[in-house]
Amino acid sequence: MNTSEYNFRDDFYKPLLENMSTYYRGVGYFSSGWIKQNADGLFSFIEKGGSIKWITSPILSEEDFASFSLGEEARNDVLLKERLSKTIDDLEIALSEDTLTALSWMIADGLVDIRIAVPCGKLSGEFHDKFGYFEDTQGNCLSFNGSNNESINGIESNYESFTIFYSWHENDEIKKISRNNRERFFRLWNNEDENIRIYSIPDSVKEQLLKLRKSKSRPYSISKHRLSGPQLPDIYKVIRDYQREAFEEWKSSNFSGVFAMATGTGKTVTSLYCALREYEERFFSEASAKYQLIVLVPSKTLVKQWSAELANFRFFPVICADSDNPAWKSEVKKIIDDSFYMKIESNYAIIVTYTSFIKSFQTIFSKLSEDSLFIADEVHNLGSPNALSIIDQINFKRKIGLSATPKRIYAPESSMQIEEFFNSSYPYTFSYSMTEAIENGVLTKYNYFVRFTELDDEEFDEYCRLTNEIGFIDTRTEKTRSLTDAQKMKLIKRKAIINGAKSKRQELSSIIEDLHKLGKDKYCLVYAPSGSDYFDSDEDSERIIIQMQKMIKNDFPMIKLSSYLGETKDRNRTIESFKNGNIDILFAINCLDEGVDIPRTEIGIFTSSSGNPRQFIQRRGRLLRKHKEKEKAIVYDMITIPPLLLKSSANQNIARNLILNELRRARYFVQLSEQRYEFYDIFEPILEKYQLSFTDINIDEEFL
């Protein structure tokens, strides 16, 4: 791409800035004129919460340097930042007409970070590199290398060119190259190149490295700015009554508690609304108040989702503490050092996985201000043994625990420790059940259809053998924790027989055939069992999920299939393709259980489930999110039953208990469905055959 054939501003920068969320740039010369030339794209980029990191040489104009310094100083001087904020009413105008103030504001608010690169070691000249990297919230990225600087001449006047690489290219080598610039950028940013020294603006002034370039005065005045800081996004201007109630309950509980909210009812937005309200109340009484958030999430996918929502609420800077951001430790350490050594408190929103939080707690997170707001998404994860080992040392004053199912059903002791940490026990600080959400139209209604899948004789015989070897246990109590490792392994094997029953393959094909005839074979999730066939001893045997996909592909070649697994590359792209209808049926095992937002999903086929209600309740929640083109969701549930004719009456009790365990899940599902008054009719033949009654099927009201 070159300036002779293309308009760099309109053909390259503008569409990328309008669609991407991060921009990293290493460039020999920077001029704020670049901002003026790209005002349209930058306005959209900033409005979406985009962030920019620039590495440049120390050759700056006096005006640009003054703007950098003002922004850096305003990061930690509330009064200065407030005065700066009041000078701009319209950011869109400011970017093109009042560029220096707009740049100062962006630096002050953490949207832009600029560092100075100075060659050292075996290098003695200037930092003269020119490369860039864009990435969106879904992980798609584009990088470029070329001749142009970040200046007006680099876009308009000079003959310049660069080469582009992008992650959605079909060539794997091109995909790999597209990410190389990101890795190289952060090696520089983190001072990991022994021949380049990186300085912040204040450090570079101390080191007297800046070489100020004289330039003629700007042809515009600095007169306008707009209010910065956290604010309620336009898309959430109508906060629901129950979300306002959640804040009031949390406030009256001394800003600590658990929110038990059904999947799809807006736990993330509710917690950020609480964070915003709490910060605003402090800010009105104390102008120097800071917002400091630490958000724990169970997966990297949720890191990206939370990052987007925090940006919507304008909580900046957002630091994603995961492997996709190699600079996160140095970024957090700077916050800690500024507080400890300089007595300067910073605004921040840090998103970190439970694994990274626990691993780095002693060295990093324990040193953050105890005034930070601690938000634990999917808070039941805080009950893991590793998390419980540090829970007593977590001393943040303000806390919110989020989950559709806070209780750890098989571990009441760890559930109690979580409740003590948040000072919140059932029915919790705030609860909004799935029953309420469906009745109030917050979640969509759903139909529930049962498909009985029968074990064959070989499968049931093995199930009985394992059951007899395990002995009687009550899987609904803490007693399972006293099992031997051998017993636990046999429980897992026994569940694998149920989940991988051979009859489920054909039943899946039958369900999809019915859907295809009705023209409803799109936006469908299939929850498949993990592992390979229980009775296949070959170590290289094909996984059941692959067998299922091949079967459906063979039976219905017109249907577009894909999978979402732990090892799936570009998982965000897969989700987007499913949302857009480019994938009809998406197969998953466990990866879509917590937090992933796919409102367009209409149909869920459950070929396997664990005995823990949390799993299938959260899976159902994926299906019930509202979407303008979805009237109602559909749930197909495969209920595994023993052979209709038992070879031995000695196995009657085992068969009875198997059915009882399966029907427990069915009762959870049917209780809130449009078929809730038909439960007995659906299951009457099975209940009568095994002398079971409706009251034998116990469920926990907390999960409804």
Side-chain angles (χ1 to χ4, degrees):
M1 188 172 189
N2 62 67
T3 49
S4 176
E5 299 178 26
Y6 295 93
N7 182 309
F8 276 18
R9 180 189 60 194
D10 295 338
D11 298 336
F12 183 72
Y13 284 109
K14 187 173 186 291
L16 284 169
L17 289 168
E18 288 176 344
N19 290 282
M20 295 299 192
S21 59
T22 56
Y23 177 37
Y24 306 136
R25 183 73 155 115
V27 65
Y29 171 58
F30 170 87
S31 165
S32 56
W34 183 91
I35 291 176
K36 181 180 180 181
Q37 293 300 101
N38 290 281
D40 291 346
L42 272 172
F43 176 69
S44 176
F45 183 79
I46 293 166
E47 284 292 288
K48 298 199 308 286
S51 63
I52 300 175
K53 286 180 169 62
W54 267 302
I55 298 174
T56 187
S57 74
I59 304 173
L60 299 169
S61 70
E62 288 190 73
E63 293 90 344
D64 286 344
F65 171 63
S67 181
F68 293 170
S69 299
L70 180 63
E72 288 283 353
E73 188 177 353
R75 282 184 194 264
N76 302 307
D77 186 327
V78 174
L79 295 178
L80 176 59
K81 184 174 179 181
E82 190 175 2
R83 288 196 298 271
L84 180 65
S85 300
K86 288 178 179 178
T87 62
I88 289 188
D89 298 318
D90 191 326
L91 174 62
E92 192 167 16
I93 294 174
L95 286 168
S96 58
E97 296 182 6
D98 314 320
T99 309
L100 294 175
T101 303
L103 178 57
S104 298
W105 170 76
M106 289 188 288
I107 293 172
D109 222 32
L111 301 174
V112 168
D113 202 351
I114 299 176
R115 296 189 183 179
I116 304 299
V118 179
C120 61
K122 69 178 183 181
L123 301 177
S124 58
E126 301 289 351
F127 179 77
H128 209 254
D129 204 350
K130 301 176 185 69
F131 67 97
Y133 178 92
F134 283 95
E135 185 172 343
D136 67 12
T137 57
Q138 306 303 318
N140 304 306
C141 64
L142 177 148
S143 66
F144 60 99
N145 301 70
S147 63
N148 63 305
N149 282 306
E150 215 82 316
S151 64
I152 293 178
N153 288 340
I155 295 177
E156 289 189 348
S157 305
N158 298 343
Y159 180 86
E160 308 279 1
S161 66
F162 50 73
T163 305
I164 300 170
F165 305 92
Y166 47 91
S167 64
W168 55 92
H169 196 282
E170 59 185 16
N171 185 290
D172 289 339
E173 189 61 29
I174 297 295
K175 292 180 182 179
K176 182 179 179 181
I177 293 173
S178 69
R179 298 193 181 276
N180 285 347
N181 277 344
R182 189 185 198 282
E183 296 174 7
R184 184 157 67 93
F185 180 89
F186 277 107
R187 281 200 301 274
L188 292 170
W189 188 265
N190 295 327
N191 262 318
E192 294 173 357
D193 188 317
E194 62 183 11
N195 295 303
I196 297 291
R197 184 66 180 163
I198 301 295
Y199 297 88
S200 67
I201 294 294
D203 289 339
S204 63
V205 173
K206 294 173 192 174
E207 296 286 339
Q208 297 181 333
L209 297 171
L210 289 171
K211 303 172 185 177
L212 299 182
R213 171 177 283 147
K214 302 292 182 182
S215 62
K216 55 187 178 181
S217 60
R218 300 284 170 173
Y220 47 84
S221 61
I222 300 174
S223 60
K224 296 181 179 180
H225 201 6
R226 74 174 211 163
L227 181 66
S228 61
Q231 53 193 266
L232 194 65
D234 289 338
I235 55 175
Y236 303 131
K237 285 299 184 187
V238 182
I239 286 291
R240 292 166 173 156
D241 289 341
Y242 67 83
Q243 293 173 312
R244 298 180 191 279
E245 181 186 345
F247 171 73
E248 296 301 331
E249 293 293 339
W250 181 58
K251 180 180 177 181
S252 65
S253 300
N254 199 26
F255 300 106
S256 180
V258 172
F259 294 175
M261 300 176 64
T263 300
T265 58
K267 295 190 295 295
T268 302
V269 172
T270 302
S271 64
L272 293 183
Y273 171 70
C274 289
L276 175 63
R277 287 287 308 277
E278 187 274 334
Y279 165 70
E280 287 176 339
E281 290 190 3
R282 283 189 294 114
F283 184 80
F284 290 145
S285 60
E286 182 186 354
S288 61
K290 300 292 182 183
Y291 52 85
Q292 299 173 326
L293 284 68
I294 303 166
V295 182
L296 267 62
V297 297
S299 68
K300 286 175 63 175
T301 301
L302 289 181
V303 170
K304 290 187 178 295
Q305 288 188 189
W306 271 90
S307 178
E309 285 293 12
L310 283 161
N312 283 336
F313 276 81
R314 304 195 66 77
F315 283 109
F316 296 120
V318 177
I319 300 174
C320 296
D322 65 7
S323 58
D324 287 342
N325 178 20
W328 77 264
K329 288 186 179 179
S330 62
E331 291 171 350
V332 177
K333 188 175 184 299
K334 185 178 186 303
I335 291 170
I336 296 169
D337 289 347
D338 284 349
S339 175
F340 186 79
Y341 296 110
M342 308 293 291
K343 306 304 178 186
I344 296 172
E345 292 298 325
S346 304
N347 293 316
Y348 56 79
I350 303 169
I351 315 166
V352 57
T353 62
Y354 279 88
T355 300
S356 295
F357 178 79
I358 295 165
K359 184 178 179 181
S360 303
F361 178 76
Q362 296 293 350
T363 56
I364 297 178
F365 293 102
S366 63
K367 296 178 173 61
L368 289 167
S369 170
E370 64 179 17
D371 290 324
S372 300
L373 169 55
F374 179 78
I375 301 175
D377 192 16
E378 306 296 352
V379 70
H380 43 269
N381 289 283
L382 204 57
S384 71
N386 287 337
L388 291 177
S389 69
I390 65 166
I391 196 169
D392 291 337
Q393 302 168 57
I394 303 173
N395 62 348
F396 303 116
K397 294 178 181 178
R398 290 181 281 272
K399 296 173 282 192
I400 299 176
L402 301 172
S403 182
T405 51
K407 180 187 290 185
R408 292 172 66 88
I409 192 168
Y410 298 141
E413 290 180 1
S414 59
S415 291
M416 190 177 301
Q417 286 179 268
I418 293 173
E419 291 174 356
E420 289 175 355
F421 176 75
F422 288 96
N423 193 28
S424 178
S425 57
Y426 182 76
Y428 306 111
T429 307
F430 177 74
S431 296
Y432 195 70
S433 68
M434 187 167 284
T435 303
E436 294 174 284
I438 293 174
E439 288 177 352
N440 296 334
V442 176
L443 295 178
T444 188
K445 297 178 180 179
Y446 69 97
N447 289 326
Y448 176 63
F449 300 111
V450 170
R451 294 295 182 97
F452 292 107
T453 53
E454 186 179 344
L455 295 176
D456 63 24
D457 288 338
E458 180 186 29
E459 291 169 332
F460 187 63
D461 287 346
E462 180 66 4
Y463 184 91
C464 292
R465 183 186 71 79
L466 290 169
T467 302
N468 289 325
E469 290 181 2
I470 294 166
F472 174 77
I473 58 169
D474 185 351
T475 57
R476 292 168 295 166
T477 71
E478 188 77 357
K479 293 178 181 178
T480 55
R481 300 184 75 180
S482 62
L483 293 175
T484 65
D485 289 341
Q487 286 176 307
K488 291 177 181 178
M489 183 58 67
K490 287 173 182 177
L491 274 175
I492 293 171
K493 288 182 176 180
R494 194 178 69 171
K495 192 63 182 177
I497 294 172
I498 298 296
N499 286 338
K502 296 181 181 69
S503 59
K504 291 185 176 182
R505 276 75 145 186
Q506 194 54 49
E507 196 60 54
L508 175 62
S509 182
S510 174
I511 292 171
I512 292 177
E513 182 179 13
D514 291 346
L515 291 171
H516 185 62
K517 289 177 180 177
L518 295 171
K520 290 184 174 292
D521 51 0
K522 288 181 74 68
Y523 307 113
C524 174
L525 279 180
V526 175
Y527 282 103
S530 60
S532 55
D533 193 305
Y534 178 88
F535 296 94
D536 192 339
S537 59
D538 187 350
E539 292 184 0
D540 297 324
S541 58
E542 198 168 49
R543 298 166 72 185
I544 295 174
I545 190 172
I546 303 301
Q547 295 175 24
M548 287 180 166
Q549 285 181 286
K550 286 184 176 180
M551 179 189 68
I552 300 304
K553 191 63 180 175
N554 182 66
D555 294 347
F556 308 98
M558 73 295 294
I559 295 177
K560 293 169 287 187
L561 311 177
S562 190
S563 57
Y564 188 92
L565 308 172
E567 65 270 22
T568 300
K569 295 180 179 179
D570 294 328
R571 289 200 286 176
N572 291 321
R573 178 176 287 277
T574 299
I575 292 295
E576 284 303 306
S577 294
F578 180 71
K579 288 179 180 179
N580 297 334
N582 296 323
I583 295 172
D584 298 323
I585 300 177
L586 188 60
F587 285 75
I589 296 178
N590 296 318
C591 298
L592 293 175
D593 288 355
E594 290 185 332
V596 181
D597 187 12
I598 320 176
R600 192 65 183 90
T601 311
E602 292 185 11
I603 300 162
I605 303 175
F606 291 71
T607 73
S608 72
S609 295
S610 73
N612 191 334
R614 174 177 297 115
Q615 186 196 67
F616 53 77
I617 286 171
Q618 290 189 333
R619 288 179 173 185
R620 176 180 57 181
R622 303 276 83 75
L623 306 172
L624 303 190
R625 294 179 186 269
K626 300 284 282 189
H627 189 278
K628 61 182 180 180
E629 297 181 33
K630 179 167 64 177
E631 294 181 8
K632 192 179 292 186
I634 300 173
V635 175
Y636 285 94
D637 189 16
M638 295 189 188
I639 300 294
T640 307
I641 60 174
L644 294 179
L645 295 175
L646 298 181
K647 293 191 297 184
S648 170
S649 59
N651 292 328
Q652 183 76 12
N653 281 339
I654 294 177
R656 187 175 184 272
N657 287 329
L658 165 60
I659 288 172
L660 198 58
N661 286 332
E662 288 285 288
L663 293 191
R664 188 172 292 113
R665 180 180 72 253
R667 185 174 174 188
Y668 277 113
F669 272 139
V670 79
Q671 193 93 347
L672 302 182
S673 75
E674 297 292 271
Q675 286 77 25
R676 55 187 171 278
Y677 302 114
E678 304 169 21
F679 180 87
Y680 192 80
D681 292 337
I682 295 172
F683 297 104
E684 180 180 14
I686 294 291
L687 291 170
E688 289 187 351
K689 178 178 174 64
Y690 289 95
Q691 299 178 333
L692 292 167
S693 68
F694 184 79
T695 56
D696 291 324
I697 308 171
N698 298 316
I699 59 175
D700 192 330
E701 295 295 322
E702 182 179 332
F703 292 108
L704 292 178

